[in-house]
Amino acid sequence: AFLEDWCFPRGAATDDALLTAWRDAPRETRPTVIMCWNDIAAYDLLASCHRLGIRVPDDLAITGFDGDPNPASFWRRLTTVRAPWSDVARVAVKLLAAQMEGDEVSNQTVLPVELIA
């Protein structure tokens, strides 16, 4: 049930009210890791945690997903998952073209990713 309780909507700005609720919830009921949908969202979340006194990674671990470089103005680095975006685009166009031709395509494609600690 916590996934429903603690999910940020995709593309939404960091919600201090949700982080405050997380901080105030009993430790055993709250998640210990947040995987953000991109690195910008992860850095925004890290800044909000810092502002609210939530210790990262002691209280809450945060990771991004896209492999963007660390913003020069940011004082911390985050773990992220880098995807091969040019390969993602190439495969997506190939699958779309095949689908437009009437071919059946798989609804799942797996490409390699790289963990950047």
mmCIF file of all heavy atoms in Angstrom, residues 50-79:
data_model
loop_
_atom_site.group_PDB
_atom_site.id
_atom_site.type_symbol
_atom_site.label_atom_id
_atom_site.label_comp_id
_atom_site.label_asym_id
_atom_site.label_seq_id
_atom_site.Cartn_x
_atom_site.Cartn_y
_atom_site.Cartn_z
ATOM 1 N N HIS A 50 16.956 18.400 2.099
ATOM 2 C CA HIS A 50 17.918 19.232 2.827
ATOM 3 C C HIS A 50 17.195 20.358 3.564
ATOM 4 O O HIS A 50 17.447 20.606 4.739
ATOM 5 C CB HIS A 50 18.952 19.790 1.852
ATOM 6 C CG HIS A 50 19.980 20.658 2.494
ATOM 7 N ND1 HIS A 50 20.974 20.153 3.304
ATOM 8 C CD2 HIS A 50 20.153 21.995 2.448
ATOM 9 C CE1 HIS A 50 21.716 21.154 3.734
ATOM 10 N NE2 HIS A 50 21.250 22.280 3.230
ATOM 11 N N ARG A 51 16.268 20.997 2.876
ATOM 12 C CA ARG A 51 15.502 22.107 3.460
ATOM 13 C C ARG A 51 14.662 21.644 4.655
ATOM 14 O O ARG A 51 14.484 22.380 5.621
ATOM 15 C CB ARG A 51 14.616 22.721 2.371
ATOM 16 C CG ARG A 51 13.900 23.970 2.751
ATOM 17 C CD ARG A 51 13.165 24.648 1.597
ATOM 18 N NE ARG A 51 12.260 23.774 0.863
ATOM 19 C CZ ARG A 51 12.499 23.256 -0.339
ATOM 20 N NH1 ARG A 51 13.630 23.509 -0.970
ATOM 21 N NH2 ARG A 51 11.623 22.484 -0.936
ATOM 22 N N LEU A 52 14.148 20.407 4.599
ATOM 23 C CA LEU A 52 13.264 19.893 5.643
ATOM 24 C C LEU A 52 14.002 19.086 6.720
ATOM 25 O O LEU A 52 13.371 18.543 7.626
ATOM 26 C CB LEU A 52 12.165 19.030 5.022
ATOM 27 C CG LEU A 52 11.184 19.784 4.127
ATOM 28 C CD1 LEU A 52 10.284 18.808 3.389
ATOM 29 C CD2 LEU A 52 10.371 20.774 4.935
ATOM 30 N N GLY A 53 15.315 18.984 6.614
ATOM 31 C CA GLY A 53 16.082 18.264 7.626
ATOM 32 C C GLY A 53 16.045 16.756 7.475
ATOM 33 O O GLY A 53 16.345 16.030 8.423
ATOM 34 N N ILE A 54 15.706 16.258 6.306
ATOM 35 C CA ILE A 54 15.722 14.813 6.037
ATOM 36 C C ILE A 54 17.118 14.474 5.530
ATOM 37 O O ILE A 54 17.576 15.021 4.530
ATOM 38 C CB ILE A 54 14.639 14.427 5.008
ATOM 39 C CG1 ILE A 54 13.258 14.763 5.558
ATOM 40 C CG2 ILE A 54 14.760 12.953 4.636
ATOM 41 C CD1 ILE A 54 12.136 14.649 4.541
ATOM 42 N N ARG A 55 17.810 13.589 6.250
ATOM 43 C CA ARG A 55 19.190 13.248 5.916
ATOM 44 C C ARG A 55 19.239 12.210 4.796
ATOM 45 O O ARG A 55 18.636 11.155 4.904
ATOM 46 C CB ARG A 55 19.909 12.717 7.148
ATOM 47 C CG ARG A 55 19.967 13.724 8.285
ATOM 48 C CD ARG A 55 20.475 13.100 9.568
ATOM 49 N NE ARG A 55 19.649 11.935 9.892
ATOM 50 C CZ ARG A 55 20.072 10.857 10.544
ATOM 51 N NH1 ARG A 55 21.312 10.790 10.972
ATOM 52 N NH2 ARG A 55 19.261 9.859 10.804
ATOM 53 N N VAL A 56 19.953 12.555 3.735
ATOM 54 C CA VAL A 56 20.128 11.659 2.590
ATOM 55 C C VAL A 56 21.585 11.220 2.586
ATOM 56 O O VAL A 56 22.475 12.057 2.620
ATOM 57 C CB VAL A 56 19.768 12.389 1.284
ATOM 58 C CG1 VAL A 56 20.026 11.504 0.077
ATOM 59 C CG2 VAL A 56 18.313 12.864 1.314
ATOM 60 N N PRO A 57 21.889 9.946 2.600
ATOM 61 C CA PRO A 57 21.029 8.783 2.489
ATOM 62 C C PRO A 57 20.669 8.146 3.829
ATOM 63 O O PRO A 57 20.075 7.068 3.839
ATOM 64 C CB PRO A 57 21.878 7.814 1.668
ATOM 65 C CG PRO A 57 23.275 8.077 2.140
ATOM 66 C CD PRO A 57 23.310 9.579 2.417
ATOM 67 N N ASP A 58 21.014 8.766 4.949
ATOM 68 C CA ASP A 58 20.757 8.143 6.252
ATOM 69 C C ASP A 58 19.277 7.882 6.499
ATOM 70 O O ASP A 58 18.899 6.799 6.949
ATOM 71 C CB ASP A 58 21.309 9.012 7.385
ATOM 72 C CG ASP A 58 22.803 9.221 7.268
ATOM 73 O OD1 ASP A 58 23.490 8.316 6.743
ATOM 74 O OD2 ASP A 58 23.278 10.288 7.675
ATOM 75 N N ASP A 59 18.424 8.881 6.250
ATOM 76 C CA ASP A 59 16.980 8.728 6.461
ATOM 77 C C ASP A 59 16.280 8.213 5.213
ATOM 78 O O ASP A 59 15.344 7.423 5.289
ATOM 79 C CB ASP A 59 16.346 10.073 6.842
ATOM 80 C CG ASP A 59 16.889 10.636 8.136
ATOM 81 O OD1 ASP A 59 17.246 9.836 9.023
ATOM 82 O OD2 ASP A 59 16.953 11.871 8.256
ATOM 83 N N LEU A 60 16.718 8.690 4.066
ATOM 84 C CA LEU A 60 16.056 8.381 2.806
ATOM 85 C C LEU A 60 17.097 8.369 1.693
ATOM 86 O O LEU A 60 17.845 9.333 1.537
ATOM 87 C CB LEU A 60 14.994 9.451 2.502
ATOM 88 C CG LEU A 60 14.199 9.311 1.213
ATOM 89 C CD1 LEU A 60 13.329 8.052 1.245
ATOM 90 C CD2 LEU A 60 13.325 10.539 1.011
ATOM 91 N N ALA A 61 17.148 7.287 0.946
ATOM 92 C CA ALA A 61 18.049 7.204 -0.205
ATOM 93 C C ALA A 61 17.301 7.696 -1.435
ATOM 94 O O ALA A 61 16.105 7.449 -1.586
ATOM 95 C CB ALA A 61 18.526 5.771 -0.405
ATOM 96 N N ILE A 62 18.011 8.402 -2.301
ATOM 97 C CA ILE A 62 17.405 8.960 -3.516
ATOM 98 C C ILE A 62 18.284 8.584 -4.696
ATOM 99 O O ILE A 62 19.507 8.685 -4.624
ATOM 100 C CB ILE A 62 17.312 10.501 -3.424
ATOM 101 C CG1 ILE A 62 16.442 10.923 -2.249
ATOM 102 C CG2 ILE A 62 16.773 11.081 -4.726
ATOM 103 C CD1 ILE A 62 16.479 12.412 -1.976
ATOM 104 N N THR A 63 17.667 8.180 -5.782
ATOM 105 C CA THR A 63 18.400 7.938 -7.015
ATOM 106 C C THR A 63 17.606 8.501 -8.179
ATOM 107 O O THR A 63 16.388 8.627 -8.119
ATOM 108 C CB THR A 63 18.699 6.437 -7.215
ATOM 109 O OG1 THR A 63 19.528 6.279 -8.359
ATOM 110 C CG2 THR A 63 17.458 5.626 -7.386
ATOM 111 N N GLY A 64 18.327 8.863 -9.225
ATOM 112 C CA GLY A 64 17.699 9.388 -10.430
ATOM 113 C C GLY A 64 17.671 8.342 -11.515
ATOM 114 O O GLY A 64 18.051 7.188 -11.310
ATOM 115 N N PHE A 65 17.237 8.781 -12.694
ATOM 116 C CA PHE A 65 17.235 7.884 -13.845
ATOM 117 C C PHE A 65 17.334 8.723 -15.110
ATOM 118 O O PHE A 65 16.365 9.368 -15.500
ATOM 119 C CB PHE A 65 15.956 7.035 -13.902
ATOM 120 C CG PHE A 65 15.992 6.004 -15.000
ATOM 121 C CD1 PHE A 65 16.476 4.739 -14.737
ATOM 122 C CD2 PHE A 65 15.580 6.309 -16.276
ATOM 123 C CE1 PHE A 65 16.534 3.782 -15.742
ATOM 124 C CE2 PHE A 65 15.637 5.362 -17.293
ATOM 125 C CZ PHE A 65 16.117 4.102 -17.028
ATOM 126 N N ASP A 66 18.480 8.802 -15.683
ATOM 127 C CA ASP A 66 18.733 9.322 -17.020
ATOM 128 C C ASP A 66 20.197 9.641 -17.244
ATOM 129 O O ASP A 66 20.635 9.785 -18.358
ATOM 130 C CB ASP A 66 17.822 10.485 -17.428
ATOM 131 C CG ASP A 66 18.021 11.786 -16.687
ATOM 132 O OD1 ASP A 66 19.003 11.921 -15.946
ATOM 133 O OD2 ASP A 66 17.177 12.676 -16.868
ATOM 134 N N GLY A 67 20.965 9.741 -16.161
ATOM 135 C CA GLY A 67 22.405 9.924 -16.316
ATOM 136 C C GLY A 67 22.831 11.336 -16.630
ATOM 137 O O GLY A 67 23.931 11.549 -17.131
ATOM 138 N N ASP A 68 21.975 12.337 -16.352
ATOM 139 C CA ASP A 68 22.389 13.731 -16.539
ATOM 140 C C ASP A 68 23.565 14.035 -15.632
ATOM 141 O O ASP A 68 23.634 13.549 -14.509
ATOM 142 C CB ASP A 68 21.247 14.697 -16.187
ATOM 143 C CG ASP A 68 20.331 14.951 -17.366
ATOM 144 O OD1 ASP A 68 20.661 14.517 -18.477
ATOM 145 O OD2 ASP A 68 19.294 15.600 -17.170
ATOM 146 N N PRO A 69 24.476 14.874 -16.101
ATOM 147 C CA PRO A 69 25.599 15.228 -15.229
ATOM 148 C C PRO A 69 25.125 16.023 -14.011
ATOM 149 O O PRO A 69 24.070 16.654 -14.044
ATOM 150 C CB PRO A 69 26.490 16.092 -16.119
ATOM 151 C CG PRO A 69 25.772 16.298 -17.386
ATOM 152 C CD PRO A 69 24.534 15.459 -17.396
ATOM 153 N N ASN A 70 25.916 15.970 -12.972
ATOM 154 C CA ASN A 70 25.619 16.707 -11.747
ATOM 155 C C ASN A 70 25.585 18.206 -12.054
ATOM 156 O O ASN A 70 26.521 18.727 -12.641
ATOM 157 C CB ASN A 70 26.711 16.392 -10.712
ATOM 158 C CG ASN A 70 26.463 17.026 -9.382
ATOM 159 O OD1 ASN A 70 25.356 17.018 -8.888
ATOM 160 N ND2 ASN A 70 27.508 17.565 -8.803
ATOM 161 N N PRO A 71 24.505 18.912 -11.675
ATOM 162 C CA PRO A 71 24.491 20.363 -11.901
ATOM 163 C C PRO A 71 25.669 21.018 -11.188
ATOM 164 O O PRO A 71 25.983 20.689 -10.045
ATOM 165 C CB PRO A 71 23.164 20.811 -11.277
ATOM 166 C CG PRO A 71 22.335 19.568 -11.169
ATOM 167 C CD PRO A 71 23.303 18.431 -11.036
ATOM 168 N N ALA A 72 26.334 21.941 -11.865
ATOM 169 C CA ALA A 72 27.534 22.577 -11.309
ATOM 170 C C ALA A 72 27.250 23.284 -9.994
ATOM 171 O O ALA A 72 28.111 23.360 -9.123
ATOM 172 C CB ALA A 72 28.102 23.564 -12.325
ATOM 173 N N SER A 73 26.040 23.783 -9.824
ATOM 174 C CA SER A 73 25.710 24.535 -8.615
ATOM 175 C C SER A 73 25.302 23.634 -7.452
ATOM 176 O O SER A 73 25.062 24.126 -6.356
ATOM 177 C CB SER A 73 24.571 25.512 -8.920
ATOM 178 O OG SER A 73 23.406 24.788 -9.289
ATOM 179 N N PHE A 74 25.231 22.317 -7.683
ATOM 180 C CA PHE A 74 24.731 21.427 -6.636
ATOM 181 C C PHE A 74 25.868 20.891 -5.791
ATOM 182 O O PHE A 74 26.915 20.514 -6.298
ATOM 183 C CB PHE A 74 23.916 20.284 -7.245
ATOM 184 C CG PHE A 74 22.728 19.923 -6.416
ATOM 185 C CD1 PHE A 74 21.594 20.708 -6.449
ATOM 186 C CD2 PHE A 74 22.765 18.839 -5.570
ATOM 187 C CE1 PHE A 74 20.507 20.396 -5.655
ATOM 188 C CE2 PHE A 74 21.681 18.515 -4.781
ATOM 189 C CZ PHE A 74 20.545 19.302 -4.833
ATOM 190 N N TRP A 75 25.668 20.834 -4.499
ATOM 191 C CA TRP A 75 26.710 20.458 -3.546
ATOM 192 C C TRP A 75 26.861 18.960 -3.357
ATOM 193 O O TRP A 75 27.796 18.516 -2.722
ATOM 194 C CB TRP A 75 26.436 21.126 -2.191
ATOM 195 C CG TRP A 75 25.282 20.518 -1.445
ATOM 196 C CD1 TRP A 75 25.371 19.564 -0.472
ATOM 197 C CD2 TRP A 75 23.898 20.778 -1.592
ATOM 198 N NE1 TRP A 75 24.126 19.224 -0.014
ATOM 199 C CE2 TRP A 75 23.191 19.959 -0.695
ATOM 200 C CE3 TRP A 75 23.151 21.630 -2.410
ATOM 201 C CZ2 TRP A 75 21.809 19.965 -0.587
ATOM 202 C CZ3 TRP A 75 21.773 21.632 -2.297
ATOM 203 C CH2 TRP A 75 21.125 20.813 -1.400
ATOM 204 N N ARG A 76 25.942 18.149 -3.876
ATOM 205 C CA ARG A 76 25.989 16.696 -3.699
ATOM 206 C C ARG A 76 25.864 16.010 -5.046
ATOM 207 O O ARG A 76 25.341 16.567 -5.990
ATOM 208 C CB ARG A 76 24.811 16.219 -2.817
ATOM 209 C CG ARG A 76 24.714 16.835 -1.467
ATOM 210 C CD ARG A 76 25.294 16.030 -0.324
ATOM 211 N NE ARG A 76 25.011 14.644 -0.263
ATOM 212 C CZ ARG A 76 24.074 14.071 0.497
ATOM 213 N NH1 ARG A 76 23.281 14.804 1.243
ATOM 214 N NH2 ARG A 76 23.947 12.775 0.516
ATOM 215 N N ARG A 77 26.294 14.766 -5.086
ATOM 216 C CA ARG A 77 26.103 13.933 -6.273
ATOM 217 C C ARG A 77 25.134 12.829 -5.925
ATOM 218 O O ARG A 77 25.108 12.365 -4.788
ATOM 219 C CB ARG A 77 27.422 13.329 -6.709
ATOM 220 C CG ARG A 77 28.403 14.407 -7.177
ATOM 221 C CD ARG A 77 29.517 13.797 -7.905
ATOM 222 N NE ARG A 77 28.930 12.992 -8.970
ATOM 223 C CZ ARG A 77 29.547 12.651 -10.063
ATOM 224 N NH1 ARG A 77 30.781 13.008 -10.243
ATOM 225 N NH2 ARG A 77 28.976 11.919 -10.987
ATOM 226 N N LEU A 78 24.361 12.415 -6.881
ATOM 227 C CA LEU A 78 23.396 11.340 -6.689
ATOM 228 C C LEU A 78 23.750 10.135 -7.542
ATOM 229 O O LEU A 78 24.368 10.267 -8.602
ATOM 230 C CB LEU A 78 21.990 11.805 -7.090
ATOM 231 C CG LEU A 78 21.316 12.795 -6.170
ATOM 232 C CD1 LEU A 78 20.025 13.292 -6.801
ATOM 233 C CD2 LEU A 78 21.026 12.167 -4.824
ATOM 234 N N THR A 79 23.319 8.983 -7.090
ATOM 235 C CA THR A 79 23.381 7.786 -7.917
ATOM 236 C C THR A 79 22.299 7.893 -8.968
ATOM 237 O O THR A 79 21.203 8.379 -8.709
ATOM 238 C CB THR A 79 23.169 6.531 -7.046
ATOM 239 O OG1 THR A 79 24.279 6.429 -6.141
ATOM 240 C CG2 THR A 79 23.074 5.275 -7.882
#
